[in-house]
Amino acid sequence: MPELVDIKGVGPALAKAFAGLGYGTVEGIAAADPAGLAQAPGVGESRATALISAAQALLHAASSPDVPGPNEKEKSQKNADQKKKNKGGKKKRKKDKKAKKNKTKNNK
């Protein structure tokens, strides 16, 4: 479970201030009203809104599995196939260039 200091922009002092205002959990910050968080020292409504968004993102990331989706797997496979294709192409071009050089040399 994430802690207040895991929210981007919240350090120990701000976490303590939020807890003193009744926002002692990430869930509390995520559901808070910007005006309520703005009561903490050094926090205006704009920063409070950003902190609420950061808390919501943190909760979303904590609840999402780290398993890549089907599109990410497909992209990964395409990248691997492309690398193989490019690698073979480079060898072939080098071989063709060498053969052309030898052919030109033999025609002189």
Side-chain angles (χ1 to χ4, degrees), residues 49-70:
T49 302
L51 292 172
I52 290 168
S53 294
Q56 291 169 346
L58 180 61
L59 289 175
H60 179 72
S63 67
S64 298
D66 290 336
V67 178

Side-chain angles (χ1 to χ4, degrees), residues 4 10 12-25 29 37 40:
L4 288 180
V10 177
L14 190 53
K16 188 175 181 178
F18 284 150
L21 292 171
Y23 302 104
T25 63
I29 299 291
L37 293 184

Side-chain angles (χ1 to χ4, degrees), residues 28-95:
I29 299 291
D33 180 53
L37 293 184
Q39 293 177 17
V43 178
E45 286 200 30
S46 176
R47 183 174 180 199
T49 302
L51 292 172
I52 290 168
S53 294
Q56 291 169 346
L58 180 61
L59 289 175
H60 179 72
S63 67
S64 298
D66 290 336
V67 178
N71 289 341
E72 292 176 29
K73 288 181 183 178
E74 191 176 301
K75 286 179 187 176
S76 179
Q77 184 61 44
K78 282 182 181 179
N79 287 340
D81 292 344
Q82 188 64 38
K83 283 183 181 180
K84 285 180 186 176
K85 184 178 176 182
N86 289 344
K87 187 175 181 181
K90 186 175 181 181
K91 286 182 181 179
K92 186 175 183 325
R93 285 190 303 270
K94 190 173 182 180
K95 187 177 180 181

Side-chain angles (χ1 to χ4, degrees), residues 92-108:
K92 186 175 183 325
R93 285 190 303 270
K94 190 173 182 180
K95 187 177 180 181
D96 289 346
K97 188 175 179 181
K98 191 173 184 178
K100 186 176 179 181
K101 186 177 180 182
N102 286 339
K103 187 176 180 180
T104 307
K105 197 177 194 181
N106 290 337
N107 288 340
K108 286 185 179 184

